Amino acid sequence: MFYGLYTAFITLAMSKGVWGDWYGENTALLSAFVITYMLAALGAAVNDICSALWATGIAAFKGKMGDFFRSINTKPGHIMIFAALVGGPIATTAYVAGLQLAGSIIIPISALCPSIGAILSRILFKQALSARMMLGIGICFAASFLIGWTSVVGGEAPERMLLGIAIAFIAAFGWGLEGCIAGYGTSMIDYEIGITIRQATSGLANLLILVPLFALVAGNIGLASSLTVQAFTSGPAMIWFLVSGFCALFAFSLWYKGNSMCGTALGMAANGTYSFWGPFFAWIILGIIFGLEGWGMSPVAWVAAIMMAFGILVIAMNPLDLFRKKERIS
């Protein structure tokens, strides 16, 4: 659910203040490349830095900052840094870019990460894939195909929706790989310390590496510092970035904690139900409360999102077990 709230609030933040100028009436001031990729990386950086500040404050309040600095140079700390680099600069930036290009339709696509994580676990860690898990993966991919197909043939698709959907698959791959390694790291380290490492690494990597890299590709390295200063000094947007960062903190930390407690497959499957909660909160917060256009979903897309959530459940467990009575112990 926090993934859904994080999705809605980061999108809201990127429609306020200077972001409204960049994506709105003054969009001609920036090139299409900068708007599509550089602003996505900058938005992800601002969100994750705000999230890291929340995480650091909570860790300091609980007296865990000493553990934070000691853990960075350990093997679990290195694992969390690697997970952050995969899930932050790669997956989160792709997710934000997909949202800006295609809207909430990409959320169920990115929620393929449990299916991709299961496949990657088979390839990387030789974990077995049962027939039931393969069925669940097939359901998830069928749902994502249904979402993409209805979006393309619906006649009301945004101009760059296909690009947004393609980029959403990058987010799914990045989070799938992150889930494979983050649960292992969190099993050896306090999840509150792990998420502090994750969010700080992701935010700084986006801000100090990815944003300047995109500015360099765009042919104006000075654009990185200029846009960064404007982003962090835009009060109307920063208010909502603080909210989205708070939601992102619990979205990722509870994901990591769950993976360490019940295993990566089940943890990622439960987390993957944001294929429903993401569009739901985007519709409620962005569409209904704030009146932004383009955040509704067709009935077919809602059915596909629920279908995706069911496929994720099938990956994690036999759904029939929910209806079987537990045997009494005499």
Side-chain angles (χ1 to χ4, degrees):
M1 293 176 72
F2 268 105
Y3 260 115
L5 290 168
Y6 148 62
T7 297
F9 284 119
I10 191 175
T11 305
L12 179 63
M14 294 177 69
S15 69
K16 300 294 184 181
V18 71
W19 297 88
D21 294 332
W22 291 337
Y23 284 112
E25 296 179 356
N26 296 324
T27 186
L29 296 175
L30 301 173
S31 68
F33 176 85
V34 170
I35 292 173
T36 303
Y37 302 104
M38 187 174 172
L39 291 187
L42 182 58
V46 176
N47 175 83
D48 286 358
I49 287 175
C50 289
S51 185
L53 292 175
W54 282 111
T56 302
I58 293 173
F61 178 77
K62 294 185 176 182
K64 295 182 177 181
M65 287 307 296
D67 294 336
F68 169 76
F69 290 110
R70 284 191 294 270
S71 298
I72 290 178
N73 291 323
T74 64
K75 181 180 178 180
H78 296 161
I79 291 174
M80 302 309 294
I81 290 173
F82 178 69
L85 292 175
V86 172
I90 297 175
T92 302
T93 298
Y95 185 60
V96 174
L99 283 171
Q100 299 303 320
L101 289 168
S104 59
I105 203 76
I106 68 100
I107 299 173
I109 301 295
S110 68
L112 281 170
C113 56
S115 302
I116 294 175
I119 295 172
L120 290 174
S121 295
R122 171 61 179 169
I123 296 172
L124 299 177
F125 305 128
K126 309 303 180 183
Q127 295 182 2
L129 286 178
S130 64
R132 172 180 52 78
M133 295 178 70
M134 292 297 295
L135 174 62
I137 291 172
I139 293 173
C140 289
F141 276 98
S144 68
F145 173 80
L146 181 61
I147 291 170
W149 181 76
T150 55
S151 302
V152 173
V153 303
E156 299 180 357
E159 182 180 352
R160 295 182 290 176
M161 174 169 283
L162 281 177
L163 178 60
I165 291 175
I167 293 176
F169 277 103
I170 298 176
F173 178 84
W175 280 333
L177 180 58
E178 180 183 8
C180 288
I181 57 181
Y184 173 65
T186 312
S187 66
M188 299 184 291
I189 192 174
D190 185 335
Y191 82 97
E192 290 183 326
I193 300 301
I195 198 60
T196 303
I197 295 174
R198 195 268 184 202
Q199 297 301 77
T201 302
S202 177
L204 291 175
N206 270 307
L207 188 63
L208 302 179
I209 299 175
L210 203 57
V211 171
L213 179 61
F214 282 144
L216 184 63
V217 173
N220 185 1
I221 188 64
L223 197 60
S225 58
S226 173
L227 296 184
T228 298
V229 171
Q230 292 181 62
F232 277 100
T233 55
S234 180
M238 285 304 298
I239 293 173
W240 296 110
F241 271 118
L242 287 171
V243 177
S244 69
F246 181 81
C247 294
L249 167 64
F250 285 98
F252 282 96
S253 64
L254 295 178
W255 176 33
Y256 280 22
K257 183 179 182 179
N259 285 357
S260 68
M261 294 175 68
C262 64
T264 299
L266 182 55
M268 289 188 66
N271 170 263
T273 55
Y274 81 89
S275 62
F276 171 80
W277 293 113
F280 175 79
F281 282 117
W283 169 55
I284 295 293
I285 295 172
L286 300 175
I288 295 180
I289 296 178
F290 286 92
L292 300 182
E293 297 181 358
W295 292 99
M297 287 181 64
S298 68
V300 174
W302 278 110
V303 170
I306 297 173
M307 178 179 169
M308 177 84 72
F310 177 73
I312 292 167
L313 177 65
V314 171
I315 295 173
M317 62 179 294
N318 185 345
L320 295 178
D321 290 342
L322 297 173
F323 303 98
R324 292 171 179 162
K325 294 182 179 180
K326 296 182 178 180
E327 295 183 1
R328 294 183 178 180
I329 300 176
S330 57

